[in-house]
């Protein structure tokens, strides 16, 4: 399956894969859609939608800030003009930004197989490095990403060696506050620290109901990083990755909190802030 | 890369408009757009550095968007409009006329002028890709900050200049185009 070709063609050129045939889906016009569901609870992104289309969309960035921030970190402009969001998820590079966003939001992948359409939730989609549950003959037709409820703040940050490189570590957070300013729901996800995107579910549960503070974000970051099992490779050691993960987690939680407060303050009724 | 075509290889017809000129060729499915431009059309200004999307030397405009021509197959460009460095001159308002060493006269556009005056190239291997990436940036953002220029060019590698002169040239080209009124066409 050839989508934007921005991962597959390099792998072909390096002779890492030798398929007998390629099916090019990048011109499938009916897969080229960014569509808000009628009830407005989620957005569907078709398999022909490129990274650059997400950044250029007039309202998507404001409705789903974490997606905009994550996509801005994906590669370089000329790669974003070809590569697709769905292709990035199917490619399942554990350092990639889009799979972490899918995991953070508990999104779903809509797949077309011989028996028809089915959906796979994010936490069942990624198996290990560059490997998903998709059988080779099935096509992912869209991603479904839930939009934040009123009073939610979101943020994505990463550390990479150079602008546009894959993340050494990336972190994403979603924080919803209740009317008293306590944490109603927290979500935290990482890329670059395991063989798949990683959710910090224990820390998320511990944060629920707590009073926000800078110390709380630092403690949450440290606790989340302690659960991670990153690997050492040519780019960074495991210890460095864990340290960066703790730092980034605290930063994204803090940023998400600031935005969640802003969402309450600005118009008095809440809404997702960028 | 061996340009010789295996006798059993199926050929596909590809029709493209490159720098305003229509071309029709029959090529193998595996032929990249970069090789197609260089070997079929003789447009060797598009350079090939890495063939896996990292260096940016092969960047061209495909239907108005900067893309890596080493990561696009020629058959995927069927029906498309392509601009290579050979056509970059006509993508912006005309600037100064210069005489080349061999006596030919050419008209530079303000982006090319700025590259020349700021010494934004040494060996020139990376230059076609930088010009195309800069062109896309200036179209989308006629008044970029230095940081925005660096981000936009982050996918193009240069082993000679240390980048500062390239960034200066693009910022200066933006100023010239704004002063001339009406940015890139
Ligand atoms: C220099 C460079 C830097 C990069 N930096 C980053 C980065 O920082 N972060 C990042 O996330 N990515 C980065 N990328 C990768 C880029 O984002 C790719 O676009 C993305 O990983 C894959 O999307 P694609 O559409 O190009 O997929 P393709 O390359 O076409 O396909 C990738 C894989 O997914 C499968 N696939 C694609 N679409 C489908 C589908 N609809 N259904 C089933 N299977 C499918 C293909 O069969 C293939 O195995 C970089 C690439 C390059 C060349
Ligand atoms: S040759 Fe295409 S990016 Fe290097
Ligand atoms: S001028 Fe030599 S690589 Fe850039």
């Amino acid at each position: 399956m050839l989508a934007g070709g921005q991962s597959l063609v390099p792998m072909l050129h390096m002779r890492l894969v030798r398929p007998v045939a390629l099916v090019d889906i990048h011109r499938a016009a009916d897969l080229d859609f960014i569509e808000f569901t009628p009830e407005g609870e989620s957005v569907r992104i078709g398999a022909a939608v490129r990274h650059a289309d997400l950044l250029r969309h007039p309202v998507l960035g404001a409705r789903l800030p974490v997606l905009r921030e994550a996509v801005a970190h994906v590669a370089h402009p000329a790669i974003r003009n070809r590569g697709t969001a769905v292709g990035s998820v199917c490619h399942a590079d554990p350092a990639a930004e889009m799979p972490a966003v899918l995991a953070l939001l508990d999104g779903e992948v809509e797949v077309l197989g011989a028996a028809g359409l089915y959906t796979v939730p994010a936490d069942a989609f990624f198996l290990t490095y560059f490997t998903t549950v998709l059988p080779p003959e099935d096509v992912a037709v869209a991603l479904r990403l839930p939009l934040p409820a009123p009073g939610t703040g979101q943020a994505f940050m990463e550390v990479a060696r150079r602008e546009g490189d894959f993340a050494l570590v990336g972190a994403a957070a979603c924080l919803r506050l209740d009317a008293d300013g306590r944490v109603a729901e927290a979500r935290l996800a990482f890329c670059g620290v395991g063989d798949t995107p990683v959710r910090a579910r224990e820390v998320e549960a511990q944060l629920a109901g707590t009073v926000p503070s800078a110390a709380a974000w630092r403690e949450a970051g440290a606790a989340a990083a302690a659960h991670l099992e990153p690997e050492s490779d040519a780019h960074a050691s495991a210890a460095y990755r864990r340290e960066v993960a703790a730092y980034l987690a605290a930063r994204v939680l803090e940023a998400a909190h600031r935005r969640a407060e802003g969402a309450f303050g600005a118009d008095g009724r809440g809404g997702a802030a960028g | 890369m061996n340009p010789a075509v295996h006798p059993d290889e199926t050929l596909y017809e590809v029709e493209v408009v490159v720098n305003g000129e229509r071309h029709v060729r029959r090529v193998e499915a595996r032929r990249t757009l970069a090789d197609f431009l260089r070997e079929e059309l003789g447009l060797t200004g598009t350079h090939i550095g890495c063939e896996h999307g990292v260096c940016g030397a092969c960047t061209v405009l495909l239907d108005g968007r900067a893309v890596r021509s080493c990561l696009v197959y020629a058959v995927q460009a069927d029906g498309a409009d392509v601009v290579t460095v050979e056509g970059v001159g006509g993508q912006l308002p005309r600037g100064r006329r210069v005489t080349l060493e061999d006596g030919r006269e050419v008209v530079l556009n303000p982006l090319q002028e700025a590259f020349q005056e700021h010494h934004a190239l040494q060996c020139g291997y990376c230059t076609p890709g930088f010009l195309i990436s800069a062109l896309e940036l200036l179209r989308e953002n006629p008044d970029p900050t230095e940081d925005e220029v660096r981000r936009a060019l982050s996918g193009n590698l240069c082993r000679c200049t240390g980048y500062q002169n390239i960034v200066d040239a693009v910022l200066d080209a933006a100023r010239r185009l704004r002063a001339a009124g009406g940015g890139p066409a």
Side-chain angles (χ1 to χ4, degrees), chain A residues 163, chain B residues 144-153 167 171:
Chain A
E163 173 79 23
Chain B
T145 63
E146 175 170 344
D147 192 49
E148 286 167 341
V149 171
R150 287 185 182 276
R151 279 170 197 271
L153 301 181
V167 173
L171 287 168

Side-chain angles (χ1 to χ4, degrees), chain B residues 120-127 130 157-161 166:
Chain B
L121 59 151
Q122 290 178 26
C123 80
Y125 202 84
C126 66
T127 313
F130 272 101
L157 302 184
C158 174
R159 299 302 304 269
C160 302
T161 64
I166 296 176

